[in-house]
Every structure is written in structure tokens, then in C-alpha cells.
């Protein structure tokens, strides 16, 4: 059994704890030591049965005393990247996959990823490091998903799609086959992507078009 720390004691942190509990119901694999969070108001609080142990950098002290792995429970990929860069001396990032996820044996996946309940990930797809797939997302065959990508609940990414670093695909969006989503791009909830999306833009609607904030 591995000792694991959840970085982030917010709403998604609670869901990640639930995910790990789901893994343990099938095969006892992890002992959740608690949360780490930079919000000082959360230190010492018990959240769904697990204590917030302190700030994120406390992971250094804990890892010196015992063998521990960790996962970053933050939905924003840029935030996840910043945390990894702060913790450069720590490299025991755990990829966790809910038992109900239908994941191909030909999937290649990096470290620190979170695949929640009900996901379907097809054949010959490559996923980078520290990616998040929330509940019931669908990822087609032969996709390339770069580091720190976030795919939210109900999103459908069809085959041969490429998604760049730190892109965010919101709830119930659809990306049709063969398209490219640029780095740090955002696809709005319920949107349907019919064309390639450039870096650093937000697209919304059916079909998805560039959305400009006023």
C-alpha cells in the first residue's frame, strides 16, 4: 500500500479523495495521509475524513521522513504546472485511475494524471504529465494530449485530436475528429469544435467561435 498526499483541499480535492477511496474498494492500494493547501484557514481542518496538514511546501518535510507519493487536485492546468515547478525536488507523482474507467491497454500515460469515474479512453492515445479527466469524459483513438491538459465532465474528444499544453476543455464540449486545440486554449461548456483552435484563445458556441472578453 502506498501513502499518498492530495495537493489541494478544495472541491476537486474532495472528489480526488473519493476517487482514491473507489480504487481502495476494488484493491487496497493507498493510505490517504491528508491534504496540503496554501490556504492557511484550511490547515488543521478535517475535510471528508482527512486532515489538511499545512501548506503545499510541507510535502518536502513529509517526503524526508517517509516514502510518499502525491497527486495535484487542481482543475486548472497552469496552476498544476506552477505547483510542479515549485516542488522540483519531488518526483513521486502518482497517476490515479478510477476502476470504472474504460481505458485501453495501448494507452500511454505520463505521471501525476487523474482519470475519474466513467471515463472512456480509446486505443493508441498518448497522454502527457499531470492531466486531468473529470467524470465521464470520452477520449477517442490516436489522440495526443500534452502536459497539464484539463478535460472536464462529459467532454467528448474524438479520434486523431491533438490538445496542447494547459488547454482546458469545459463540461460537455465536443471536438470533432482530427482537430488541434492550441496550448492554453479554452473550449467553453457545450461548445462544438469544428475547426482548429489557436494557442491562448477561448472559443465558445455551436459551432465554436473565438470569444472576446469585453
Amino acid at each position: 500500500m502506498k501513502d499518498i498526499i492530495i495537493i489541494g483541499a478544495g472541491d476537486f480535492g474532495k472528489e480526488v479523495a473519493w476517487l482514491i477511496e473507489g480504487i481502495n474498494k476494488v484493491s487496497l492500494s493507498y493510505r490517504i495521509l491528508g491534504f496540503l493547501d496554501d490556504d492557511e484557514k484550511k490547515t488543521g481542518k478535517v475535510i471528508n475524513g482527512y486532515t489538511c496538514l499545512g501548506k503545499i511546501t510541507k510535502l518536502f518535510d513529509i517526503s524526508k521522513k517517509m516514502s510518499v507519493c502525491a497527486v495535484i487536485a487542481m482543475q486548472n492546468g497552469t496552476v498544476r504546472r506552477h505547483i510542479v515547478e515549485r516542488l522540483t525536488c519531488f518526483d513521486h507523482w502518482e497517476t490515479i485511475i478510477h476502476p470504472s474507467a474504460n481505458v485501453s491497454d495501448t494507452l500511454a500515460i505520463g505521471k501525476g494524471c487523474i482519470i475519474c469515474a466513467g471515463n472512456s479512453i480509446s486505443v493508441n492515445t498518448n497522454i502527457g504529465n499531470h492531466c486531468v479527466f473529470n467524470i465521464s469524459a470520452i477520449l477517442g483513438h490516436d489522440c495526443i494530449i500534452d502536459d497539464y491538459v484539463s478535460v472536464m465532465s462529459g467532454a467528448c474528444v474524438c479520434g486523431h485530436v491533438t490538445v496542447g499544453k494547459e488547454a482546458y476543455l469545459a463540461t460537455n464540449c465536443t471536438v470533432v475528429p482530427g482537430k488541434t486545440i492550441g496550448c492554453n486554449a479554452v473550449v467553453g461548456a457545450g461548445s462544438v469544435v469544428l475547426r482548429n483552435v489557436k494557442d491562448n484563445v477561448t472559443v465558445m458556441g455551436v459551432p465554436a467561435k473565438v470569444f472576446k472578453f469585453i
Side-chain angles (χ1 to χ4, degrees):
M1 184 186 298
K2 295 182 179 180
D3 290 322
I4 191 167
I5 293 282
I6 301 170
I7 296 177
D11 292 337
F12 192 49
K14 292 184 290 186
E15 290 188 322
V16 168
W18 178 41
L19 189 166
I20 295 170
E21 290 170 349
I23 294 172
N24 284 340
K25 287 179 180 178
V26 174
S27 176
L28 197 57
S29 302
Y30 298 103
R31 181 168 69 108
I32 301 174
L33 299 181
F35 299 99
L36 294 177
D37 198 292
D38 282 344
D39 184 351
E40 293 181 353
K41 295 179 181 178
K42 293 178 180 178
T43 297
K45 288 188 64 175
V46 177
I47 302 167
N48 289 8
Y50 307 104
T51 303
C52 184
L53 305 171
K55 291 186 176 182
I56 292 171
T57 51
K58 190 170 182 179
L59 184 61
F60 290 128
D61 296 330
I62 295 171
S63 62
K64 288 177 183 177
K65 297 175 182 177
M66 60 191 301
S67 177
V68 63
C69 62
V71 66
I72 303 173
M74 306 280 190
Q75 293 187 343
N76 184 301
T78 302
V79 172
R80 295 198 299 277
R81 176 175 61 80
H82 288 162
I83 291 171
V84 170
E85 289 172 351
R86 286 172 60 192
L87 301 174
T88 52
C89 294
F90 182 85
D91 197 36
H92 298 291
W93 300 109
E94 189 77 356
T95 286
I96 54 174
I97 301 175
H98 193 276
S100 68
N102 183 22
V103 177
S104 168
D105 290 338
T106 60
L107 170 69
I109 188 167
K111 59 189 175 183
C113 294
I114 298 170
I115 299 179
C116 294
N119 269 251
S120 178
I121 301 180
S122 190
V123 297
N124 299 107
T125 279
N126 290 280
I127 298 174
N129 300 316
H130 299 283
C131 294
V132 166
F133 293 82
N134 215 319
I135 295 170
S136 298
I138 297 173
L139 184 58
H141 60 87
D142 298 285
C143 291
I144 299 173
I145 310 298
D146 212 331
D147 299 341
Y148 304 107
V149 167
S150 304
V151 182
M152 295 297 102
S153 300
C156 179
V157 180
C158 295
H160 290 285
V161 166
T162 298
V163 183
K165 287 183 180 180
E166 298 177 43
Y168 184 95
L169 280 58
T171 299
N172 291 329
C173 72
T174 299
V175 183
V176 302
K179 301 308 172 187
T180 295
I181 307 298
C183 297
N184 203 40
V186 175
V187 178
S191 299
V192 178
V193 175
L194 302 180
R195 297 180 179 179
N196 294 340
V197 177
K198 295 181 180 179
D199 296 349
N200 304 308
V201 301
T202 296
V203 297
M204 298 180 68
V206 182
K209 296 179 180 180
V210 175
F211 181 83
K212 295 182 179 179
F213 295 92
I214 299 175

